[in-house]
Amino acid sequence: MVRPFSHRVRIGIATVLATSLCLASSLAMAWESELDQLRQRWETATTSTPASQREGTLTTLADEAVQLVQANPNVSDLLVWQGIVQASLAREKGGLGALDDAKAARRALERAVTLDADGMQGSAYVTLGALYDRVPGWPVAFGDDEKAEQMFQKAMAIRPDGIDVNYYYAVYLADEGRKQEARSHAEKAANGAPRPDREASDQALQAEARTLLGSL
């Protein structure tokens, strides 16, 4: 004969469930807080940190981003930010010494979009596009103009008015000699509305977009 749960057992189960939910919520809040701090420090590193200190700061941030992902391996936003930070570090290093960071950034971003097709509102595709555009092609690395444009187009489909996607796409188009298209996207970048959580970096890109417009 199956006996019904006692009142005490039901209370015990409810307590365990409530504790588990609180713990899960606390863990989520922990990584969100750490990610917010990482993002803010990345903004400072890329917009106002002296050039002599930038590589060291980004190296530290990249290590922290990797650790965050290792602790939370299936969180797309964390993977996107790992990719962004490592791509920034690769850009700062330049040359062949940057290839390991660029490859690590690509791996993180590709995994991010498998978990979330929008990739933090297209940010994953923007960074992938910039990577494919900037790094050397085969056999040295994975640079590929066609893939770069594919990534930018995917980002544009998600966030067509984004300052970052329009700026980096404009740079790509200018390099390809497609000046009229480049001018259109650079103008969108220069006149766009900075994101509240990315205001400093978006404003820095707007300044670069205005410089680009002056050269087209």
Side-chain angles (χ1 to χ4, degrees):
M1 176 180 178
V2 178
R3 297 181 180 277
F5 283 162
S6 70
H7 179 64
R8 183 177 297 176
V9 171
R10 288 197 297 270
I11 291 176
I13 292 173
T15 302
V16 170
L17 289 172
T19 302
S20 298
L21 288 171
C22 288
L23 178 60
S25 178
S26 297
L27 290 172
M29 290 176 65
W31 72 252
E32 287 174 356
S33 175
E34 289 183 71
L35 178 57
D36 189 55
Q37 292 177 35
L38 180 76
R39 178 191 57 75
Q40 291 179 34
R41 290 161 59 205
W42 172 85
E43 287 255 320
T44 301
T46 55
T47 60
S48 58
T49 296
S52 60
Q53 301 173 23
R54 203 172 295 141
E55 183 178 329
T57 301
L58 287 169
T59 297
T60 298
L61 290 176
D63 290 342
E64 292 179 15
V66 169
Q67 291 171 13
L68 263 177
V69 168
Q70 288 174 343
N72 307 273
N74 295 314
V75 179
S76 177
D77 284 8
L78 292 178
L79 285 159
V80 174
W81 271 105
Q82 178 189 337
I84 290 172
V85 173
Q86 289 178 315
S88 298
L89 176 57
R91 180 180 184 181
E92 189 62 32
K93 285 182 176 180
L96 296 179
L99 291 182
D100 285 345
D101 297 296
K103 290 174 182 177
R106 181 182 65 161
R107 288 193 297 270
L109 293 162
E110 287 178 342
R111 173 152 172 73
V113 296
T114 64
L115 294 170
D116 177 2
D118 283 356
M120 211 171 73
Q121 293 187 313
S123 292
Y125 291 125
V126 176
T127 311
L128 279 169
L131 285 169
Y132 279 116
D133 183 31
R134 289 173 177 167
V135 304
W138 188 89
V140 177
F142 59 88
D144 186 314
D145 289 345
E146 289 185 9
K147 285 188 176 180
E149 182 155 28
Q150 289 171 11
M151 296 300 105
F152 289 132
Q153 290 286 358
K154 287 183 178 182
M156 290 291 299
I158 296 168
R159 192 159 41 89
D161 296 324
I163 291 171
D164 55 343
V165 59
N166 278 288
Y167 169 71
Y168 287 114
Y169 193 24
V171 170
Y172 165 83
L173 292 166
D175 289 343
E176 293 292 303
R178 296 156 60 181
K179 290 189 176 182
Q180 185 173 349
E181 294 173 84
R183 187 176 296 108
S184 174
H185 287 284
E187 286 173 349
K188 283 185 178 181
N191 297 320
R195 290 164 288 182
D197 62 340
R198 300 275 291 275
E199 190 169 9
S201 57
D202 276 353
Q203 288 175 343
L205 289 179
Q206 287 184 300
E208 292 189 42
R210 286 189 284 271
T211 300
L212 178 60
L213 280 169
S215 69
L216 294 172

